[in-house]
Amino acid sequence: MFGAHYSSRLGAIISLSSYTGDEDLYLQQAVVFIEDAIQYRSINHRVDANSLRLYRWYYSRIWQWGLGLTIAVVLMLAFIERPSSFSYTSDPRFRPPPWEPPCGLTEGIEIVCLVIFAIDFATKSYLIGWEEFRKCKWLIVYILAVSASVIDWALTLSMYCDQNLRVRRLIRPFFLLQNSSLMKKTLKCIKRTLPEIASVILLLALHLCLFTMIGMLLFAKGENPKQNGEWEAYFRDLPTSLSSLLVLLTTANNPDVMIPAYSLNRGYSIFFILFSGFGTYFLMNLLTAIVYNQFRGYLLMSVQASILRRRLGVRAAFEVMSCQGRGQDATHSEEHVERVRVDASLQVMARVQMKSYYRQAIIKVRKDYDGFIQWEAFRRLFDELDKDRIKEHPPKPEYNSSLLQGLQLLFSHYYVTVVGNAVALANVMCICTILVLDSEKSMAERDDYYMEVINCFFILYYLMEMSLKILAFGWRGYLSYRNNIFDGLLTVCLLILQITIFATYRLPFPKWNPASRGLMSLWEMMRLVNMLIVVRFLRIIPDIKLMALIASTLVDLVKNLRAFAGILVVVFYVFAVLGIWLFQGAITAPGQMSVMSNSSMKNITVECGSYEQLGYWPNNFDDFASSLVLLYNVMVVNNWQVFMDAYTRYTTEWSKVYFVSWWLTSSVMWVNLFVALILENFIYKWDRSVMCSVADVERTGYETTVQLMFREQIQEPTEEELVTQLHQHPHLHLS
């Protein structure tokens, strides 16, 4: 009762600072509020006519794509700037001098990007107003980041581009963060999660220190040099002991770390098994579970705020539409205020930028109402935004010929797809058989006649299958199936390649193995054909329910969980820049070792399992691209101790802090969190499709967003909350 009465009063007293009774303005406001609701945006922005036009331009696809392109360009500058990544190899033994851009080239591109960021900041600040700007910490940091970048840019030019320490490189990832609301929410959730897991990290550190002390006591240096292998290699001092057990926590040096002691006495294995068993399989997994659970809780709170924004946008649109035609006149009855005209709502929906199938669904439901729509009915219309999209395939073409009707009935049957999958499997098995038979033969000994004849037969079948399916379903019906698009595209590519082979080498015949001609030899072209045939075998995925579900989950992850991967990109970028600052040129190539001491040369040549002995030279921090690859290798944790040991020897012991920090950030924190969110996404889709058939899974276009994943746990905001939020709007002046 309170919500209805208060909202009626609110609708009666809404007035705008500069406009009175302008129906078009009311419609324009409603359009923008609904677009805000669709995109989970805040409605606390200016609502006069000029500001609304600027607001819609700012969130238009052209400007947002342009801003995204600008962010990508400014981030990609790290590959071109000194030290440049423009060389065919990162191995210092073979790397030629990289191409260095002339002074002013990257700086000119960068200043254009910074000007665009400044325009973006100014526009956003104007649209939300001064009151909202003071509350938005991201915008305040935004202008500080742009200003600091411009100052550092000016310093670079004043030094004639000879500045090695470019602070603005660390600032650039901020532009990616601030442009994504979901990335900002994710970062906020991570920040709130960190204190919650401090106790487990402390317990893990205590576990590590305790076993380090025990290990140093167990493997102390003895009188017999033959029994000091464990001490000499892994427990010589405190930093070495901590590093050895920390690496064992990731299993990267197992069982190497215990072999010297285990070879003397099998009882020593108990120490290492207890350490890794409790630390790796209990504490590390417990840490992952706590990180996921706490993060999920904070993310749920953040998603709750997004749902509130959506409901508030719909409510605001309803309120301004209910004011249409009466301006500031507050004498209308409560019944009039609590409803909107159907024709006005249709005008609004025609102008809203949204996906066509959602607009059609809302308009279809709206046809059930005549004259006016009450608030509850209006709110239910936009529940269509939270529903799964069911994709209806176009009707099959109608043929008059009985022959065509028979072919249509035959080749639209599901068993045709089953036969096609069996033929694709047979094609792959033939290729595999010939590859096994020819694996030991040289190119001169191979007879490509049989391979070519087999490929010709199967490609003709694929072409016939595609043509008859087009006949059965029609062009639009054929292309409405995603697996048909994939299958047809590869079939066309195979056909073009086969025609190219015939045009170059003519028709095959026994002992047919012509010499290389043109740009590609016959063997290279056939390898390409065979690779496409193998890839085409993936057409079986949509016909197996679990595989189809997994494939659609991966597609959804690429589309809708970009924010989580985006923060990982930011972390990679920051650590890569720091790595260049700290370690660029630290490792000297073998050809440049004349400046090294004899002791260093001795260590490099005799130490087994070291960076030098394993040939890890391309993994370095000499440029941005190689830094990213090295960080990825450390994130995978296999042999990551080799990199840590090398940079410890070439620089200082403090370099371990950098590598351990990266391991904790990437492998322990973010990768485990990303895996957990993959599971959340898959479980959500599995629960929704457990009762569906394979065809239903293919027809249902699950628009799986983070908001929908947590929809069942989210509480709907009350009327009082919505009305209170509207009453606090900074630009809808309430009397």
Side-chain angles (χ1 to χ4, degrees), residues 197-209:
I197 63 173
S199 59
V200 181
I201 294 179
L202 182 61
L203 182 60
L204 193 62
L206 181 63
H207 167 74
L208 183 62
C209 292

Side-chain angles (χ1 to χ4, degrees), residues 110-125:
E110 187 173 15
I111 195 60
V112 172
C113 296
L114 292 175
V115 168
I116 294 174
F117 292 146
I119 295 173
D120 176 67
F121 163 78
T123 305
K124 191 181 294 185
S125 302

Side-chain angles (χ1 to χ4, degrees), residues 197 200 282-294 667-669 671-673 675-676:
I197 63 173
V200 181
F282 180 73
L283 288 180
M284 292 296 290
N285 288 328
L286 180 63
L287 180 64
T288 301
I290 291 177
V291 168
Y292 171 59
N293 186 62
Q294 295 298 326
S667 184
V668 174
M669 188 74 179
V671 172
N672 287 327
L673 180 60
V675 169

Side-chain angles (χ1 to χ4, degrees), residues 201 204-205 208 238-250 284 287 571 575 582-583 621 630-631 634-635 637 640-645 647-648 652-670:
I201 294 179
L204 193 62
L208 183 62
L238 183 61
T240 305
S241 304
L242 276 172
S243 300
S244 301
L245 291 183
L246 179 63
V247 174
L248 180 59
L249 201 62
T250 66
M284 292 296 290
L287 180 64
V571 175
F575 271 86
L582 295 172
F583 307 118
F621 287 103
L630 192 151
L631 290 175
V634 174
M635 185 179 70
V637 304
W640 73 289
Q641 77 280 4
V642 175
F643 305 111
M644 186 167 60
D645 171 72
Y647 280 95
T648 300
T652 67
E653 288 282 344
W654 289 103
S655 63
K656 292 180 180 179
V657 176
Y658 173 87
F659 287 95
V660 173
S661 300
W662 170 246
W663 168 71
L664 286 172
T665 303
S666 61
S667 184
V668 174
M669 188 74 179
W670 190 248

Side-chain angles (χ1 to χ4, degrees), residues 299-315:
L299 186 62
L300 188 60
M301 294 169 54
S302 182
V303 171
Q304 183 79 51
S306 297
I307 297 300
L308 175 62
R309 287 183 174 185
R310 169 167 285 187
R311 302 297 181 257
L312 189 61
V314 174
R315 182 69 185 187

Side-chain angles (χ1 to χ4, degrees), residues 295-467:
F295 179 84
R296 191 179 187 274
Y298 287 119
L299 186 62
L300 188 60
M301 294 169 54
S302 182
V303 171
Q304 183 79 51
S306 297
I307 297 300
L308 175 62
R309 287 183 174 185
R310 169 167 285 187
R311 302 297 181 257
L312 189 61
V314 174
R315 182 69 185 187
F318 178 82
E319 292 294 343
V320 296
M321 289 173 66
S322 67
C323 295
Q324 187 180 10
R326 60 181 173 82
Q328 298 178 344
D329 186 5
T331 62
H332 287 260
S333 65
E334 179 177 334
E335 179 184 4
H336 178 78
V337 173
E338 280 298 301
R339 60 185 186 178
V340 298
R341 298 204 317 265
V342 172
D343 59 339
S345 62
L346 289 175
Q347 293 179 48
V348 169
M349 291 309 302
R351 295 166 62 178
V352 170
Q353 294 182 358
M354 62 189 305
K355 294 182 179 179
S356 59
Y357 49 83
Y358 285 138
R359 178 186 286 108
Q360 293 169 4
I362 292 173
I363 293 176
K364 183 178 179 181
V365 175
R366 190 167 292 182
K367 290 180 180 178
D368 298 335
Y369 302 95
D370 295 325
F372 293 91
I373 303 177
Q374 303 294 330
W375 159 240
E376 286 298 324
F378 186 84
R379 180 186 62 80
R380 286 195 298 271
L381 289 175
F382 291 90
D383 290 343
E384 297 293 328
L385 297 173
D386 297 330
K387 293 182 179 179
D388 295 324
R389 169 195 168 199
I390 304 299
K391 181 174 64 177
E392 297 294 340
H393 298 295
K396 298 176 184 178
E398 297 181 0
Y399 297 108
N400 296 325
S401 170
S402 58
L403 176 61
L404 293 178
Q405 291 175 357
L407 289 174
Q408 183 182 42
L409 180 63
L410 176 63
F411 286 95
S412 61
H413 199 279
Y414 173 71
Y415 286 113
V416 173
T417 302
V418 175
V419 173
N421 291 339
V423 172
L425 176 61
N427 195 180
V428 171
M429 291 179 65
C430 290
I431 293 174
C432 183
T433 302
I434 294 178
L435 288 176
V436 170
L437 294 175
D438 292 348
S439 60
E440 298 293 334
K441 296 180 180 179
S442 64
M443 291 186 62
E445 295 173 334
R446 294 192 187 104
D447 188 355
D448 296 323
Y449 169 73
Y450 297 105
M451 179 80 78
E452 180 62 21
V453 169
I454 291 171
N455 285 347
C456 289
F457 169 78
F458 283 108
I459 290 172
L460 287 175
Y461 175 84
Y462 299 152
L463 181 62
M464 181 189 69
E465 181 190 30
M466 182 183 72
S467 303

